Structure formats: C-alpha cells, structure tokens
Amino acid sequence: MSDSRAVLVTGASRGVGRAVAAAFAARGDRVAIHHRDSADLAESLRASLPGQGHAVVRADLADPAAVATMVDAAAQALGGLDVLVNNAGQAYPHPITGVTYEQWQELWTRTLAVNLTGPANVTYCAVRHMLARPPGSPSARVINVGSRGAYRGEPGQPAYGAAKAGLHAMGQSLAVALAPYRIAVATVAPGYVQEDETNAAYKVPRGAEHAAQSPFGRVARPEEIAAAVLWLADPAAEWASGAVLDLNGASHLR
C-alpha cells in the first residue's frame, strides 16, 4: 500500500500482540515483531505475515540499554517508526498475605519494570524516531495496551494493577505532551482475553467463571483487541488521543 507505515509491536510473538501484528500487516504496514525469549514464535509470525519488510527484534524490557538497542534496530529495519504498540506485559502473582516481605519487594520491582518502566523507555526511544520523520508525514501513534485491572483491581497481583493504571496515566500525560508534534497517544484496557496455542502456558485457562463476568457470556478474542488498536492507530482517529478505551464486554463499567 502507498500509505504503508512502520509499526513496532512489543510482545508480538503471542496472544494479543500476535493478533495486533497480523492486523497491521494485513493493512499493508511493515511490522517489527518484538519478543523477549520466544524467537521461534516471532519468526513463525514473520513468515506468516503478508507483505514484505517485516522484522524481528529482541529485548528484555526491564533492561533500559537493551530497549534502546531494540527500538533503534526496529527503526533501521523498517525505515523509521510511525506507530508504537506497547503490548508486552507480564503478571506475577504476589498476594499481600501470601508472600514474604522480600518476595513482595522483588515482585513489585519486576512487575513495574516490565509493565510500566519498560513501556515508558520504549516510548521515549520510539518518539525520538517519530520526531525525525520527514515533514508532511501522517501523524504518528503510540497505543498502549493497559488493563481492566487498573480499575477493577488485581488483588492477587496488585503491582500489575498499579502498573497498568500507571500506563493509562502515562498515555494521557503524553497525549498532551506530544500533540504539538502530531503524535497521538491512546490506550486500550482489555478484560480477560482468550488464550491460544501461543500463550496458553502463560495464562490461567479461561473458564466459565471468567466468561460469566461479561453479560455476553464469554471472554474477548485477541482479534477484537487488535481491531481496536488498529482503529486507534488510523489517521482518522487522531481525535481519540488521550482516550482509554475499555474492551471488557461490559464486565466492568466505569
């Protein structure tokens, strides 16, 4: 497509990130597939994507130096950066009555590093490339994948809920800061999403109790989250900058 964009999706080898990468590629965009330790899945996704110019990049988002190297590698491979999707995240159970004080500190540090500080660093590095785009380029996008847990609570993993709430707030702050540079920032806040063969080992199986939280009687499909991300990244959606879009099937209403 003549309006093909350069898109970096973090955590793109599995689940929602994989569906997001596929949706952008189907649109005709060039996609950098980020992963931490799932090279085989990332390469299989790249091989399956339509179009050309896709890339695989690796980094532990808890490592600031690795993040900078990864974002630069993505921009070089794609010929710049137009869209960033901060999708990567990880939850580590740590109920306050079920862990030691040392475990509590360790898991808060790890959770915030992966789910909040990491995306903040990716965004910082990506914005440098967005600011360097040629004059007259379409407005750029940063789309964050937050969570219903930022509002509904995460009693078994409170640092995850806090990190996602911070990610929502970061997106709103940057929506104001970056608008003068024609970079729009928005966030999606999914509830439970169906696991698939790429991420089943990383998720609690979605049972009847999860489906029952929504009046639709089911959990989300990864493709439904991807469709919302794709719309928020569309040039026509600039006015949604600063929004946090709930995607939880009416399972939690703010």
PDB file of all heavy atoms in Angstrom, residues 189-218:
ATOM      1  N   ALA A 189      -7.976  -0.915  27.268  1.00  0.00           N
ATOM      2  CA  ALA A 189      -7.982  -1.563  28.577  1.00  0.00           C
ATOM      3  C   ALA A 189      -8.811  -2.848  28.500  1.00  0.00           C
ATOM      4  O   ALA A 189      -9.996  -2.843  28.827  1.00  0.00           O
ATOM      5  CB  ALA A 189      -8.542  -0.618  29.638  1.00  0.00           C
ATOM      6  N   PRO A 190      -8.203  -3.944  28.054  1.00  0.00           N
ATOM      7  CA  PRO A 190      -8.963  -5.194  27.936  1.00  0.00           C
ATOM      8  C   PRO A 190      -9.244  -5.835  29.285  1.00  0.00           C
ATOM      9  O   PRO A 190      -8.521  -5.623  30.272  1.00  0.00           O
ATOM     10  CB  PRO A 190      -8.031  -6.099  27.112  1.00  0.00           C
ATOM     11  CG  PRO A 190      -6.957  -5.199  26.572  1.00  0.00           C
ATOM     12  CD  PRO A 190      -6.849  -4.068  27.538  1.00  0.00           C
ATOM     13  N   GLY A 191     -10.296  -6.660  29.304  1.00  0.00           N
ATOM     14  CA  GLY A 191     -10.501  -7.592  30.390  1.00  0.00           C
ATOM     15  C   GLY A 191      -9.846  -8.906  30.014  1.00  0.00           C
ATOM     16  O   GLY A 191      -8.812  -8.934  29.360  1.00  0.00           O
ATOM     17  N   TYR A 192     -10.466 -10.015  30.414  1.00  0.00           N
ATOM     18  CA  TYR A 192      -9.898 -11.313  30.078  1.00  0.00           C
ATOM     19  C   TYR A 192      -9.924 -11.534  28.569  1.00  0.00           C
ATOM     20  O   TYR A 192     -10.896 -11.207  27.892  1.00  0.00           O
ATOM     21  CB  TYR A 192     -10.668 -12.438  30.765  1.00  0.00           C
ATOM     22  CG  TYR A 192     -10.345 -12.585  32.233  1.00  0.00           C
ATOM     23  CD1 TYR A 192     -11.319 -12.403  33.210  1.00  0.00           C
ATOM     24  CD2 TYR A 192      -9.059 -12.923  32.637  1.00  0.00           C
ATOM     25  CE1 TYR A 192     -11.025 -12.544  34.554  1.00  0.00           C
ATOM     26  CE2 TYR A 192      -8.750 -13.063  33.983  1.00  0.00           C
ATOM     27  CZ  TYR A 192      -9.734 -12.871  34.931  1.00  0.00           C
ATOM     28  OH  TYR A 192      -9.432 -13.016  36.264  1.00  0.00           O
ATOM     29  N   VAL A 193      -8.834 -12.106  28.065  1.00  0.00           N
ATOM     30  CA  VAL A 193      -8.712 -12.423  26.640  1.00  0.00           C
ATOM     31  C   VAL A 193      -8.429 -13.917  26.514  1.00  0.00           C
ATOM     32  O   VAL A 193      -7.637 -14.472  27.282  1.00  0.00           O
ATOM     33  CB  VAL A 193      -7.586 -11.607  25.977  1.00  0.00           C
ATOM     34  CG1 VAL A 193      -7.476 -11.956  24.495  1.00  0.00           C
ATOM     35  CG2 VAL A 193      -7.826 -10.110  26.167  1.00  0.00           C
ATOM     36  N   GLN A 194      -9.058 -14.533  25.535  1.00  0.00           N
ATOM     37  CA  GLN A 194      -8.906 -15.962  25.332  1.00  0.00           C
ATOM     38  C   GLN A 194      -7.447 -16.325  25.066  1.00  0.00           C
ATOM     39  O   GLN A 194      -6.777 -15.689  24.266  1.00  0.00           O
ATOM     40  CB  GLN A 194      -9.756 -16.424  24.144  1.00  0.00           C
ATOM     41  CG  GLN A 194      -9.706 -17.910  23.880  1.00  0.00           C
ATOM     42  CD  GLN A 194     -10.325 -18.713  25.018  1.00  0.00           C
ATOM     43  OE1 GLN A 194     -11.420 -18.415  25.459  1.00  0.00           O
ATOM     44  NE2 GLN A 194      -9.609 -19.710  25.484  1.00  0.00           N
ATOM     45  N   GLU A 195      -6.958 -17.347  25.736  1.00  0.00           N
ATOM     46  CA  GLU A 195      -5.618 -17.845  25.439  1.00  0.00           C
ATOM     47  C   GLU A 195      -5.659 -18.695  24.167  1.00  0.00           C
ATOM     48  O   GLU A 195      -6.716 -19.165  23.756  1.00  0.00           O
ATOM     49  CB  GLU A 195      -5.071 -18.676  26.605  1.00  0.00           C
ATOM     50  CG  GLU A 195      -5.650 -20.074  26.758  1.00  0.00           C
ATOM     51  CD  GLU A 195      -6.988 -20.100  27.463  1.00  0.00           C
ATOM     52  OE1 GLU A 195      -7.534 -19.019  27.775  1.00  0.00           O
ATOM     53  OE2 GLU A 195      -7.510 -21.205  27.687  1.00  0.00           O
ATOM     54  N   ASP A 196      -4.511 -18.832  23.512  1.00  0.00           N
ATOM     55  CA  ASP A 196      -4.423 -19.692  22.332  1.00  0.00           C
ATOM     56  C   ASP A 196      -3.153 -20.529  22.437  1.00  0.00           C
ATOM     57  O   ASP A 196      -2.475 -20.520  23.461  1.00  0.00           O
ATOM     58  CB  ASP A 196      -4.465 -18.874  21.037  1.00  0.00           C
ATOM     59  CG  ASP A 196      -3.358 -17.828  20.959  1.00  0.00           C
ATOM     60  OD1 ASP A 196      -2.262 -18.064  21.500  1.00  0.00           O
ATOM     61  OD2 ASP A 196      -3.585 -16.774  20.354  1.00  0.00           O
ATOM     62  N   GLU A 197      -2.830 -21.228  21.360  1.00  0.00           N
ATOM     63  CA  GLU A 197      -1.682 -22.130  21.433  1.00  0.00           C
ATOM     64  C   GLU A 197      -0.376 -21.391  21.654  1.00  0.00           C
ATOM     65  O   GLU A 197       0.599 -21.973  22.132  1.00  0.00           O
ATOM     66  CB  GLU A 197      -1.587 -22.981  20.161  1.00  0.00           C
ATOM     67  CG  GLU A 197      -1.262 -22.215  18.882  1.00  0.00           C
ATOM     68  CD  GLU A 197      -2.501 -21.620  18.217  1.00  0.00           C
ATOM     69  OE1 GLU A 197      -3.598 -21.672  18.811  1.00  0.00           O
ATOM     70  OE2 GLU A 197      -2.362 -21.107  17.095  1.00  0.00           O
ATOM     71  N   THR A 198      -0.328 -20.096  21.359  1.00  0.00           N
ATOM     72  CA  THR A 198       0.916 -19.352  21.524  1.00  0.00           C
ATOM     73  C   THR A 198       1.138 -18.893  22.955  1.00  0.00           C
ATOM     74  O   THR A 198       2.274 -18.604  23.334  1.00  0.00           O
ATOM     75  CB  THR A 198       0.957 -18.124  20.611  1.00  0.00           C
ATOM     76  OG1 THR A 198      -0.002 -17.160  21.060  1.00  0.00           O
ATOM     77  CG2 THR A 198       0.693 -18.496  19.163  1.00  0.00           C
ATOM     78  N   ASN A 199       0.079 -18.768  23.733  1.00  0.00           N
ATOM     79  CA  ASN A 199       0.253 -18.220  25.083  1.00  0.00           C
ATOM     80  C   ASN A 199      -0.467 -18.998  26.163  1.00  0.00           C
ATOM     81  O   ASN A 199      -0.559 -18.536  27.301  1.00  0.00           O
ATOM     82  CB  ASN A 199      -0.169 -16.746  25.122  1.00  0.00           C
ATOM     83  CG  ASN A 199      -1.661 -16.539  24.911  1.00  0.00           C
ATOM     84  OD1 ASN A 199      -2.404 -17.487  24.666  1.00  0.00           O
ATOM     85  ND2 ASN A 199      -2.107 -15.306  24.994  1.00  0.00           N
ATOM     86  N   ALA A 200      -0.965 -20.193  25.846  1.00  0.00           N
ATOM     87  CA  ALA A 200      -1.731 -20.956  26.828  1.00  0.00           C
ATOM     88  C   ALA A 200      -0.911 -21.256  28.074  1.00  0.00           C
ATOM     89  O   ALA A 200      -1.430 -21.273  29.196  1.00  0.00           O
ATOM     90  CB  ALA A 200      -2.244 -22.251  26.199  1.00  0.00           C
ATOM     91  N   ALA A 201       0.394 -21.475  27.904  1.00  0.00           N
ATOM     92  CA  ALA A 201       1.237 -21.806  29.048  1.00  0.00           C
ATOM     93  C   ALA A 201       1.480 -20.604  29.954  1.00  0.00           C
ATOM     94  O   ALA A 201       1.943 -20.762  31.083  1.00  0.00           O
ATOM     95  CB  ALA A 201       2.577 -22.356  28.561  1.00  0.00           C
ATOM     96  N   TYR A 202       1.144 -19.414  29.468  1.00  0.00           N
ATOM     97  CA  TYR A 202       1.406 -18.194  30.225  1.00  0.00           C
ATOM     98  C   TYR A 202       0.152 -17.613  30.862  1.00  0.00           C
ATOM     99  O   TYR A 202       0.220 -16.597  31.532  1.00  0.00           O
ATOM    100  CB  TYR A 202       2.040 -17.139  29.308  1.00  0.00           C
ATOM    101  CG  TYR A 202       3.445 -17.481  28.895  1.00  0.00           C
ATOM    102  CD1 TYR A 202       3.688 -18.410  27.899  1.00  0.00           C
ATOM    103  CD2 TYR A 202       4.529 -16.894  29.528  1.00  0.00           C
ATOM    104  CE1 TYR A 202       4.990 -18.743  27.532  1.00  0.00           C
ATOM    105  CE2 TYR A 202       5.825 -17.211  29.164  1.00  0.00           C
ATOM    106  CZ  TYR A 202       6.048 -18.138  28.169  1.00  0.00           C
ATOM    107  OH  TYR A 202       7.333 -18.464  27.801  1.00  0.00           O
ATOM    108  N   LYS A 203      -0.987 -18.244  30.637  1.00  0.00           N
ATOM    109  CA  LYS A 203      -2.243 -17.712  31.145  1.00  0.00           C
ATOM    110  C   LYS A 203      -3.001 -18.771  31.929  1.00  0.00           C
ATOM    111  O   LYS A 203      -2.916 -19.961  31.637  1.00  0.00           O
ATOM    112  CB  LYS A 203      -3.138 -17.223  29.981  1.00  0.00           C
ATOM    113  CG  LYS A 203      -2.662 -15.930  29.323  1.00  0.00           C
ATOM    114  CD  LYS A 203      -3.659 -15.482  28.281  1.00  0.00           C
ATOM    115  CE  LYS A 203      -3.249 -14.150  27.672  1.00  0.00           C
ATOM    116  NZ  LYS A 203      -3.354 -13.033  28.628  1.00  0.00           N
ATOM    117  N   VAL A 204      -3.762 -18.305  32.907  1.00  0.00           N
ATOM    118  CA  VAL A 204      -4.720 -19.192  33.576  1.00  0.00           C
ATOM    119  C   VAL A 204      -5.794 -19.547  32.558  1.00  0.00           C
ATOM    120  O   VAL A 204      -6.314 -18.670  31.874  1.00  0.00           O
ATOM    121  CB  VAL A 204      -5.346 -18.487  34.794  1.00  0.00           C
ATOM    122  CG1 VAL A 204      -6.427 -19.353  35.417  1.00  0.00           C
ATOM    123  CG2 VAL A 204      -4.273 -18.115  35.810  1.00  0.00           C
ATOM    124  N   PRO A 205      -6.125 -20.832  32.398  1.00  0.00           N
ATOM    125  CA  PRO A 205      -7.184 -21.193  31.432  1.00  0.00           C
ATOM    126  C   PRO A 205      -8.467 -20.420  31.705  1.00  0.00           C
ATOM    127  O   PRO A 205      -8.899 -20.278  32.854  1.00  0.00           O
ATOM    128  CB  PRO A 205      -7.365 -22.698  31.672  1.00  0.00           C
ATOM    129  CG  PRO A 205      -6.062 -23.154  32.227  1.00  0.00           C
ATOM    130  CD  PRO A 205      -5.549 -22.009  33.063  1.00  0.00           C
ATOM    131  N   ARG A 206      -9.064 -19.908  30.641  1.00  0.00           N
ATOM    132  CA  ARG A 206     -10.263 -19.089  30.780  1.00  0.00           C
ATOM    133  C   ARG A 206     -11.477 -20.002  30.933  1.00  0.00           C
ATOM    134  O   ARG A 206     -11.951 -20.597  29.968  1.00  0.00           O
ATOM    135  CB  ARG A 206     -10.443 -18.185  29.563  1.00  0.00           C
ATOM    136  CG  ARG A 206      -9.260 -17.279  29.250  1.00  0.00           C
ATOM    137  CD  ARG A 206      -8.704 -16.552  30.448  1.00  0.00           C
ATOM    138  NE  ARG A 206      -7.782 -15.489  30.058  1.00  0.00           N
ATOM    139  CZ  ARG A 206      -6.871 -14.973  30.848  1.00  0.00           C
ATOM    140  NH1 ARG A 206      -6.718 -15.444  32.079  1.00  0.00           N
ATOM    141  NH2 ARG A 206      -6.087 -13.997  30.436  1.00  0.00           N
ATOM    142  N   GLY A 207     -11.961 -20.107  32.144  1.00  0.00           N
ATOM    143  CA  GLY A 207     -13.078 -20.996  32.424  1.00  0.00           C
ATOM    144  C   GLY A 207     -14.405 -20.275  32.482  1.00  0.00           C
ATOM    145  O   GLY A 207     -14.526 -19.099  32.144  1.00  0.00           O
ATOM    146  N   ALA A 208     -15.406 -21.022  32.954  1.00  0.00           N
ATOM    147  CA  ALA A 208     -16.766 -20.482  32.997  1.00  0.00           C
ATOM    148  C   ALA A 208     -16.864 -19.259  33.894  1.00  0.00           C
ATOM    149  O   ALA A 208     -17.649 -18.338  33.622  1.00  0.00           O
ATOM    150  CB  ALA A 208     -17.730 -21.563  33.472  1.00  0.00           C
ATOM    151  N   GLU A 209     -16.061 -19.223  34.958  1.00  0.00           N
ATOM    152  CA  GLU A 209     -16.139 -18.072  35.869  1.00  0.00           C
ATOM    153  C   GLU A 209     -15.627 -16.801  35.201  1.00  0.00           C
ATOM    154  O   GLU A 209     -16.094 -15.699  35.515  1.00  0.00           O
ATOM    155  CB  GLU A 209     -15.359 -18.356  37.158  1.00  0.00           C
ATOM    156  CG  GLU A 209     -13.854 -18.411  37.022  1.00  0.00           C
ATOM    157  CD  GLU A 209     -13.318 -19.760  36.553  1.00  0.00           C
ATOM    158  OE1 GLU A 209     -14.115 -20.602  36.072  1.00  0.00           O
ATOM    159  OE2 GLU A 209     -12.097 -19.976  36.669  1.00  0.00           O
ATOM    160  N   HIS A 210     -14.679 -16.940  34.291  1.00  0.00           N
ATOM    161  CA  HIS A 210     -14.207 -15.763  33.559  1.00  0.00           C
ATOM    162  C   HIS A 210     -15.251 -15.314  32.541  1.00  0.00           C
ATOM    163  O   HIS A 210     -15.537 -14.125  32.414  1.00  0.00           O
ATOM    164  CB  HIS A 210     -12.893 -16.078  32.847  1.00  0.00           C
ATOM    165  CG  HIS A 210     -11.786 -16.467  33.763  1.00  0.00           C
ATOM    166  ND1 HIS A 210     -11.237 -17.713  33.799  1.00  0.00           N
ATOM    167  CD2 HIS A 210     -11.142 -15.759  34.722  1.00  0.00           C
ATOM    168  CE1 HIS A 210     -10.289 -17.761  34.714  1.00  0.00           C
ATOM    169  NE2 HIS A 210     -10.208 -16.581  35.292  1.00  0.00           N
ATOM    170  N   ALA A 211     -15.810 -16.256  31.813  1.00  0.00           N
ATOM    171  CA  ALA A 211     -16.832 -15.925  30.822  1.00  0.00           C
ATOM    172  C   ALA A 211     -18.044 -15.280  31.472  1.00  0.00           C
ATOM    173  O   ALA A 211     -18.666 -14.369  30.908  1.00  0.00           O
ATOM    174  CB  ALA A 211     -17.246 -17.177  30.057  1.00  0.00           C
ATOM    175  N   ALA A 212     -18.392 -15.731  32.676  1.00  0.00           N
ATOM    176  CA  ALA A 212     -19.590 -15.236  33.353  1.00  0.00           C
ATOM    177  C   ALA A 212     -19.461 -13.787  33.793  1.00  0.00           C
ATOM    178  O   ALA A 212     -20.470 -13.149  34.111  1.00  0.00           O
ATOM    179  CB  ALA A 212     -19.906 -16.120  34.558  1.00  0.00           C
ATOM    180  N   GLN A 213     -18.261 -13.236  33.806  1.00  0.00           N
ATOM    181  CA  GLN A 213     -18.104 -11.838  34.208  1.00  0.00           C
ATOM    182  C   GLN A 213     -18.705 -10.876  33.188  1.00  0.00           C
ATOM    183  O   GLN A 213     -19.028  -9.741  33.521  1.00  0.00           O
ATOM    184  CB  GLN A 213     -16.619 -11.523  34.426  1.00  0.00           C
ATOM    185  CG  GLN A 213     -16.028 -12.243  35.627  1.00  0.00           C
ATOM    186  CD  GLN A 213     -14.572 -11.898  35.840  1.00  0.00           C
ATOM    187  OE1 GLN A 213     -14.026 -10.985  35.224  1.00  0.00           O
ATOM    188  NE2 GLN A 213     -13.916 -12.622  36.726  1.00  0.00           N
ATOM    189  N   SER A 214     -18.836 -11.312  31.953  1.00  0.00           N
ATOM    190  CA  SER A 214     -19.430 -10.477  30.912  1.00  0.00           C
ATOM    191  C   SER A 214     -20.845 -10.939  30.617  1.00  0.00           C
ATOM    192  O   SER A 214     -21.107 -12.140  30.554  1.00  0.00           O
ATOM    193  CB  SER A 214     -18.605 -10.565  29.623  1.00  0.00           C
ATOM    194  OG  SER A 214     -19.325 -10.008  28.534  1.00  0.00           O
ATOM    195  N   PRO A 215     -21.778 -10.008  30.396  1.00  0.00           N
ATOM    196  CA  PRO A 215     -23.130 -10.418  30.028  1.00  0.00           C
ATOM    197  C   PRO A 215     -23.183 -11.118  28.664  1.00  0.00           C
ATOM    198  O   PRO A 215     -24.192 -11.742  28.329  1.00  0.00           O
ATOM    199  CB  PRO A 215     -23.911  -9.098  30.004  1.00  0.00           C
ATOM    200  CG  PRO A 215     -22.886  -8.040  29.848  1.00  0.00           C
ATOM    201  CD  PRO A 215     -21.664  -8.540  30.539  1.00  0.00           C
ATOM    202  N   PHE A 216     -22.104 -11.038  27.896  1.00  0.00           N
ATOM    203  CA  PHE A 216     -22.039 -11.789  26.642  1.00  0.00           C
ATOM    204  C   PHE A 216     -21.718 -13.266  26.885  1.00  0.00           C
ATOM    205  O   PHE A 216     -21.805 -14.075  25.962  1.00  0.00           O
ATOM    206  CB  PHE A 216     -20.991 -11.184  25.708  1.00  0.00           C
ATOM    207  CG  PHE A 216     -21.372  -9.848  25.147  1.00  0.00           C
ATOM    208  CD1 PHE A 216     -20.899  -8.677  25.710  1.00  0.00           C
ATOM    209  CD2 PHE A 216     -22.212  -9.745  24.047  1.00  0.00           C
ATOM    210  CE1 PHE A 216     -21.242  -7.435  25.201  1.00  0.00           C
ATOM    211  CE2 PHE A 216     -22.569  -8.512  23.524  1.00  0.00           C
ATOM    212  CZ  PHE A 216     -22.092  -7.352  24.105  1.00  0.00           C
ATOM    213  N   GLY A 217     -21.308 -13.582  28.092  1.00  0.00           N
ATOM    214  CA  GLY A 217     -21.043 -14.971  28.435  1.00  0.00           C
ATOM    215  C   GLY A 217     -19.773 -15.533  27.832  1.00  0.00           C
ATOM    216  O   GLY A 217     -19.668 -16.746  27.606  1.00  0.00           O
ATOM    217  N   ARG A 218     -18.800 -14.671  27.581  1.00  0.00           N
ATOM    218  CA  ARG A 218     -17.535 -15.135  27.021  1.00  0.00           C
ATOM    219  C   ARG A 218     -16.446 -14.135  27.363  1.00  0.00           C
ATOM    220  O   ARG A 218     -16.711 -13.064  27.929  1.00  0.00           O
ATOM    221  CB  ARG A 218     -17.636 -15.293  25.499  1.00  0.00           C
ATOM    222  CG  ARG A 218     -17.872 -13.983  24.728  1.00  0.00           C
ATOM    223  CD  ARG A 218     -17.870 -14.215  23.230  1.00  0.00           C
ATOM    224  NE  ARG A 218     -18.097 -13.006  22.451  1.00  0.00           N
ATOM    225  CZ  ARG A 218     -17.153 -12.139  22.075  1.00  0.00           C
ATOM    226  NH1 ARG A 218     -15.891 -12.351  22.439  1.00  0.00           N
ATOM    227  NH2 ARG A 218     -17.453 -11.071  21.355  1.00  0.00           N
TER     228      ARG A 218
END
